[in-house]
Amino acid sequence: GMPSKAPENTIQGSILALEAGAHVIELDIYLTTDNRLAVIHDSTTSRTANGNLTVENSSMSQLQALTLYDTTGNYPNLKIPTLDDYFSTFSGDDVQFFIEIKSTKAEIVPILASAINEYDMSDRVTVITFTPSQIENMHKTLPDISTGYLNYALADGTDTNASLISILNSIIPIK
């Protein structure tokens, strides 16, 4: 998105980014109590909305009862979107999605897989996560989907060889 022009993780921010030349939309997803895929960066709404809910302890209707903060003044009544909102909005556009699974709940993967299949997005999605088990779950559920393991703590920048060994030891066990 373009957080300087629209709230982060919103469709409006993504539209602005695409208009500015972006070809990829990166989304962060959590699983709600009613098994919906909420698109939001943080595990709580306290930083981004006018209420303090824990995303994975809330239903989508509870989350969408909140209004996202808009420091730009251009989008005063935005709600937390769902992954379905994104897929339906951008289904006809030439855009790739990097979807970061923030949740550690295994049940998010089949729900994500269902959405990818429903909207025929398998060739337009890469799933990324900091949780190795979610990559394994994706490989079992949708083996043809590209995945990426995110990590920042393994490479410290002072000893390149040690960092590479640490990263390889971390990713090689991922099946």
Side-chain angles (χ1 to χ4, degrees):
M2 295 193 64
S4 63
K5 298 189 183 222
E8 66 183 73
N9 274 296
T10 62
I11 290 172
Q12 291 73 9
S14 295
I15 289 170
L16 291 171
L18 293 176
E19 288 172 351
H23 300 284
V24 177
I25 297 172
E26 190 268 340
L27 307 171
D28 306 299
I29 62 169
Y30 288 92
L31 186 64
T32 64
T33 58
D34 52 350
N35 293 321
R36 302 288 304 279
L37 299 174
V39 177
I40 184 170
H41 182 271
D42 301 349
S43 62
T44 69
T45 60
S46 62
R47 182 181 65 86
T48 57
N50 67 340
N52 188 13
L53 297 175
T54 300
V55 177
E56 292 196 316
N57 293 337
S58 305
S59 69
M60 199 65 222
S61 63
Q62 289 172 311
L63 294 169
Q64 289 185 330
L66 303 176
T67 300
L68 293 171
Y69 293 135
D70 177 25
T71 58
T72 69
N74 297 322
Y75 303 97
N77 297 308
L78 292 182
K79 305 299 181 182
I80 296 169
T82 65
L83 185 62
D84 287 328
D85 295 334
Y86 270 88
F87 281 174
S88 63
T89 298
F90 297 104
S91 64
D93 294 321
D94 184 21
V95 62
Q96 295 291 310
F97 291 93
F98 275 51
I99 300 173
E100 181 178 344
I101 298 175
K102 295 282 204 138
S103 177
T104 58
K105 294 181 176 183
E107 55 268 29
I108 196 172
V109 171
I111 294 167
L112 173 58
S114 178
I116 290 169
N117 288 331
E118 178 182 343
Y119 290 93
D120 194 26
M121 293 285 184
S122 61
D123 61 339
R124 297 173 53 191
V125 167
T126 297
V127 175
I128 56 178
T129 184
F130 282 95
T131 308
S133 62
Q134 296 295 39
I135 293 175
E136 293 172 9
N137 293 337
M138 283 301 300
H139 288 176
K140 291 175 191 167
T141 307
L142 280 178
D144 295 332
I145 293 292
S146 178
T147 58
Y149 174 49
L150 303 172
N151 70 66
Y152 53 86
L154 300 176
D156 67 13
T158 58
D159 184 344
T160 304
N161 287 336
S163 291
L164 286 173
I165 290 169
S166 177
I167 290 168
L168 288 172
N169 285 334
S170 177
I171 62 172
I172 288 174
I174 298 173
K175 296 180 174 116

